[in-house]
Amino acid sequence: AQSVSQHNHHVILSEAASLELGCNYSYGGTVNLFWYVQYPGQHLQLLLKYFSGDPLVKGIKGFEAEFIKSKFSFNLRKPSVQWSDTAEYFCAVNERDSWGKLQFGAGTQVVVTP
Amino acid sequence: DTAVSQTPKYLVTQMGNDKSIKCEQNLGHDTMYWYKQDSKKFLKIMFSYNNKELIINETVPNRFSPKSPDKAHLNLHINSLELGDSAVYFCASSAPETRGGELFFGEGSRLTVL
């Protein structure tokens, strides 16, 4: 069965620390990969996406993610977090050229302390 | 201007009632979606419409009936509400060239069934 798993449910770190959130997927075919962020009380916003090409993808707000096909992974990173990065982060996957049936991971709650 | 707007943002109602949530997008997208986010923040697709035609229906109880009067609107009607329907419902849209993955979400409609 197709699935998306995020390794950490809760992450607490201090400002200026580095962040890495793991995401692994289980899909048989070619996939599109996404990271979405949901700030407290807000809607989901796209952080970054991978369709093809360079496996290192840069997104908004200093985030980047690396697609490693052999590991079925798409981990999210940020070298130095800020308090404003406190949010829920969702990895999402869909099959190439599907109709947007995104499969989301369970989310990782990230809390950045001042 | 809000790209994807939902109304109402909050909805509190009694079990057994019928309620509707409206969604409109002004992005010119062809595809619209309803996602449900449960109390554990898990997101799951419910429906997807492309140019007013239903293309995804994810084993949602038939108490839930989406209606798309035109490609800019996708409403969700729920009959005979149950406690388990309490959740945040997100409307989203996407453009064809994004291969259905870059979804633009509304701010969510928090439904509480008492």
mmCIF file of all heavy atoms in Angstrom, chain B residues 73-96:
data_model
loop_
_atom_site.group_PDB
_atom_site.id
_atom_site.type_symbol
_atom_site.label_atom_id
_atom_site.label_comp_id
_atom_site.label_asym_id
_atom_site.label_seq_id
_atom_site.Cartn_x
_atom_site.Cartn_y
_atom_site.Cartn_z
ATOM 1 N N HIS B 73 -16.069 26.912 -7.834
ATOM 2 C CA HIS B 73 -16.759 26.650 -6.571
ATOM 3 C C HIS B 73 -16.867 25.161 -6.315
ATOM 4 O O HIS B 73 -17.165 24.380 -7.225
ATOM 5 C CB HIS B 73 -18.172 27.256 -6.595
ATOM 6 C CG HIS B 73 -18.202 28.730 -6.668
ATOM 7 N ND1 HIS B 73 -18.093 29.423 -7.872
ATOM 8 C CD2 HIS B 73 -18.290 29.679 -5.691
ATOM 9 C CE1 HIS B 73 -18.142 30.709 -7.625
ATOM 10 N NE2 HIS B 73 -18.256 30.900 -6.326
ATOM 11 N N LEU B 74 -16.645 24.796 -5.059
ATOM 12 C CA LEU B 74 -16.862 23.411 -4.642
ATOM 13 C C LEU B 74 -17.394 23.453 -3.218
ATOM 14 O O LEU B 74 -16.690 23.826 -2.294
ATOM 15 C CB LEU B 74 -15.565 22.602 -4.692
ATOM 16 C CG LEU B 74 -15.699 21.136 -4.278
ATOM 17 C CD1 LEU B 74 -16.663 20.394 -5.210
ATOM 18 C CD2 LEU B 74 -14.335 20.427 -4.279
ATOM 19 N N ASN B 75 -18.654 23.090 -3.093
ATOM 20 C CA ASN B 75 -19.301 23.131 -1.785
ATOM 21 C C ASN B 75 -19.408 21.726 -1.216
ATOM 22 O O ASN B 75 -19.413 20.729 -1.950
ATOM 23 C CB ASN B 75 -20.687 23.761 -1.924
ATOM 24 C CG ASN B 75 -20.617 25.152 -2.552
ATOM 25 O OD1 ASN B 75 -19.675 25.905 -2.300
ATOM 26 N ND2 ASN B 75 -21.594 25.482 -3.382
ATOM 27 N N LEU B 76 -19.486 21.673 0.098
ATOM 28 C CA LEU B 76 -19.591 20.383 0.783
ATOM 29 C C LEU B 76 -20.814 20.397 1.676
ATOM 30 O O LEU B 76 -20.924 21.256 2.561
ATOM 31 C CB LEU B 76 -18.329 20.122 1.621
ATOM 32 C CG LEU B 76 -18.250 18.781 2.341
ATOM 33 C CD1 LEU B 76 -18.179 17.632 1.333
ATOM 34 C CD2 LEU B 76 -17.030 18.747 3.267
ATOM 35 N N HIS B 77 -21.720 19.474 1.417
ATOM 36 C CA HIS B 77 -22.917 19.371 2.242
ATOM 37 C C HIS B 77 -22.831 18.083 3.055
ATOM 38 O O HIS B 77 -22.462 17.032 2.510
ATOM 39 C CB HIS B 77 -24.168 19.365 1.365
ATOM 40 C CG HIS B 77 -25.420 19.416 2.170
ATOM 41 N ND1 HIS B 77 -25.866 20.573 2.766
ATOM 42 C CD2 HIS B 77 -26.306 18.440 2.515
ATOM 43 C CE1 HIS B 77 -26.991 20.318 3.437
ATOM 44 N NE2 HIS B 77 -27.266 19.030 3.292
ATOM 45 N N ILE B 78 -23.138 18.188 4.317
ATOM 46 C CA ILE B 78 -23.062 17.015 5.195
ATOM 47 C C ILE B 78 -24.416 16.802 5.854
ATOM 48 O O ILE B 78 -24.946 17.706 6.522
ATOM 49 C CB ILE B 78 -21.992 17.173 6.291
ATOM 50 C CG1 ILE B 78 -20.683 17.727 5.721
ATOM 51 C CG2 ILE B 78 -21.731 15.833 6.974
ATOM 52 C CD1 ILE B 78 -19.672 18.146 6.759
ATOM 53 N N ASN B 79 -24.987 15.632 5.645
ATOM 54 C CA ASN B 79 -26.274 15.279 6.257
ATOM 55 C C ASN B 79 -26.053 14.499 7.544
ATOM 56 O O ASN B 79 -25.043 13.812 7.719
ATOM 57 C CB ASN B 79 -27.077 14.397 5.289
ATOM 58 C CG ASN B 79 -27.571 15.176 4.100
ATOM 59 O OD1 ASN B 79 -27.885 16.360 4.190
ATOM 60 N ND2 ASN B 79 -27.603 14.504 2.955
ATOM 61 N N SER B 80 -27.037 14.596 8.417
ATOM 62 C CA SER B 80 -27.063 13.763 9.626
ATOM 63 C C SER B 80 -25.706 13.726 10.322
ATOM 64 O O SER B 80 -25.098 12.662 10.500
ATOM 65 C CB SER B 80 -27.480 12.329 9.255
ATOM 66 O OG SER B 80 -28.731 12.339 8.616
ATOM 67 N N LEU B 81 -25.249 14.872 10.722
ATOM 68 C CA LEU B 81 -23.916 14.995 11.303
ATOM 69 C C LEU B 81 -23.717 14.086 12.510
ATOM 70 O O LEU B 81 -24.619 13.896 13.332
ATOM 71 C CB LEU B 81 -23.647 16.445 11.698
ATOM 72 C CG LEU B 81 -23.234 17.326 10.523
ATOM 73 C CD1 LEU B 81 -23.518 18.781 10.789
ATOM 74 C CD2 LEU B 81 -21.753 17.109 10.226
ATOM 75 N N GLU B 82 -22.513 13.522 12.577
ATOM 76 C CA GLU B 82 -22.127 12.643 13.676
ATOM 77 C C GLU B 82 -20.940 13.252 14.420
ATOM 78 O O GLU B 82 -20.229 14.100 13.873
ATOM 79 C CB GLU B 82 -21.754 11.263 13.132
ATOM 80 C CG GLU B 82 -22.874 10.584 12.369
ATOM 81 C CD GLU B 82 -22.435 9.252 11.772
ATOM 82 O OE1 GLU B 82 -21.238 8.895 11.889
ATOM 83 O OE2 GLU B 82 -23.312 8.567 11.176
ATOM 84 N N LEU B 83 -20.741 12.754 15.646
ATOM 85 C CA LEU B 83 -19.629 13.286 16.458
ATOM 86 C C LEU B 83 -18.290 13.158 15.718
ATOM 87 O O LEU B 83 -17.446 14.053 15.772
ATOM 88 C CB LEU B 83 -19.544 12.551 17.796
ATOM 89 C CG LEU B 83 -20.681 12.786 18.781
ATOM 90 C CD1 LEU B 83 -20.495 11.916 20.016
ATOM 91 C CD2 LEU B 83 -20.781 14.257 19.169
ATOM 92 N N GLY B 84 -18.122 12.058 15.012
ATOM 93 C CA GLY B 84 -16.869 11.795 14.318
ATOM 94 C C GLY B 84 -16.611 12.706 13.129
ATOM 95 O O GLY B 84 -15.521 12.695 12.551
ATOM 96 N N ASP B 85 -17.610 13.498 12.781
ATOM 97 C CA ASP B 85 -17.413 14.445 11.678
ATOM 98 C C ASP B 85 -16.683 15.698 12.142
ATOM 99 O O ASP B 85 -16.293 16.531 11.317
ATOM 100 C CB ASP B 85 -18.761 14.847 11.069
ATOM 101 C CG ASP B 85 -19.495 13.660 10.474
ATOM 102 O OD1 ASP B 85 -18.830 12.692 10.052
ATOM 103 O OD2 ASP B 85 -20.743 13.699 10.436
ATOM 104 N N SER B 86 -16.535 15.839 13.432
ATOM 105 C CA SER B 86 -15.810 16.999 13.966
ATOM 106 C C SER B 86 -14.375 16.986 13.441
ATOM 107 O O SER B 86 -13.650 16.008 13.631
ATOM 108 C CB SER B 86 -15.796 16.981 15.493
ATOM 109 O OG SER B 86 -17.085 17.140 16.014
ATOM 110 N N ALA B 87 -14.003 18.052 12.800
ATOM 111 C CA ALA B 87 -12.684 18.122 12.155
ATOM 112 C C ALA B 87 -12.533 19.508 11.546
ATOM 113 O O ALA B 87 -13.459 20.320 11.591
ATOM 114 C CB ALA B 87 -12.558 17.066 11.056
ATOM 115 N N VAL B 88 -11.371 19.714 10.967
ATOM 116 C CA VAL B 88 -11.190 20.907 10.143
ATOM 117 C C VAL B 88 -11.233 20.464 8.686
ATOM 118 O O VAL B 88 -10.504 19.546 8.293
ATOM 119 C CB VAL B 88 -9.862 21.637 10.430
ATOM 120 C CG1 VAL B 88 -9.750 22.894 9.572
ATOM 121 C CG2 VAL B 88 -9.756 21.992 11.911
ATOM 122 N N TYR B 89 -12.066 21.092 7.910
ATOM 123 C CA TYR B 89 -12.216 20.748 6.504
ATOM 124 C C TYR B 89 -11.544 21.829 5.670
ATOM 125 O O TYR B 89 -11.841 23.016 5.795
ATOM 126 C CB TYR B 89 -13.704 20.623 6.142
ATOM 127 C CG TYR B 89 -14.340 19.439 6.823
ATOM 128 C CD1 TYR B 89 -14.855 19.560 8.116
ATOM 129 C CD2 TYR B 89 -14.410 18.191 6.197
ATOM 130 C CE1 TYR B 89 -15.417 18.469 8.771
ATOM 131 C CE2 TYR B 89 -14.968 17.103 6.835
ATOM 132 C CZ TYR B 89 -15.461 17.244 8.122
ATOM 133 O OH TYR B 89 -15.997 16.164 8.766
ATOM 134 N N PHE B 90 -10.616 21.370 4.831
ATOM 135 C CA PHE B 90 -9.872 22.292 3.986
ATOM 136 C C PHE B 90 -10.280 22.101 2.535
ATOM 137 O O PHE B 90 -10.290 20.991 2.013
ATOM 138 C CB PHE B 90 -8.364 22.041 4.096
ATOM 139 C CG PHE B 90 -7.752 22.537 5.360
ATOM 140 C CD1 PHE B 90 -7.513 21.676 6.421
ATOM 141 C CD2 PHE B 90 -7.401 23.877 5.495
ATOM 142 C CE1 PHE B 90 -6.940 22.136 7.591
ATOM 143 C CE2 PHE B 90 -6.823 24.339 6.669
ATOM 144 C CZ PHE B 90 -6.602 23.469 7.722
ATOM 145 N N CYS B 91 -10.564 23.204 1.908
ATOM 146 C CA CYS B 91 -10.759 23.231 0.479
ATOM 147 C C CYS B 91 -9.421 23.588 -0.163
ATOM 148 O O CYS B 91 -8.607 24.311 0.434
ATOM 149 C CB CYS B 91 -11.807 24.293 0.148
ATOM 150 S SG CYS B 91 -12.135 24.516 -1.600
ATOM 151 N N ALA B 92 -9.184 23.099 -1.349
ATOM 152 C CA ALA B 92 -7.938 23.405 -2.050
ATOM 153 C C ALA B 92 -8.189 23.398 -3.546
ATOM 154 O O ALA B 92 -9.209 22.875 -4.021
ATOM 155 C CB ALA B 92 -6.846 22.386 -1.696
ATOM 156 N N SER B 93 -7.270 23.996 -4.277
ATOM 157 C CA SER B 93 -7.353 23.960 -5.732
ATOM 158 C C SER B 93 -5.958 23.799 -6.312
ATOM 159 O O SER B 93 -4.958 24.053 -5.634
ATOM 160 C CB SER B 93 -8.012 25.231 -6.282
ATOM 161 O OG SER B 93 -7.151 26.354 -6.118
ATOM 162 N N SER B 94 -5.915 23.377 -7.567
ATOM 163 C CA SER B 94 -4.625 23.245 -8.242
ATOM 164 C C SER B 94 -4.804 23.468 -9.736
ATOM 165 O O SER B 94 -5.896 23.301 -10.282
ATOM 166 C CB SER B 94 -4.005 21.864 -7.997
ATOM 167 O OG SER B 94 -4.742 20.852 -8.643
ATOM 168 N N ALA B 95 -3.703 23.849 -10.372
ATOM 169 C CA ALA B 95 -3.696 24.066 -11.805
ATOM 170 C C ALA B 95 -3.159 22.821 -12.497
ATOM 171 O O ALA B 95 -2.332 22.112 -11.928
ATOM 172 C CB ALA B 95 -2.816 25.266 -12.145
ATOM 173 N N PRO B 96 -3.580 22.550 -13.726
ATOM 174 C CA PRO B 96 -3.166 21.320 -14.415
ATOM 175 C C PRO B 96 -1.658 21.185 -14.564
ATOM 176 O O PRO B 96 -1.114 20.103 -14.427
ATOM 177 C CB PRO B 96 -3.832 21.439 -15.792
ATOM 178 C CG PRO B 96 -4.953 22.370 -15.601
ATOM 179 C CD PRO B 96 -4.543 23.315 -14.527
#
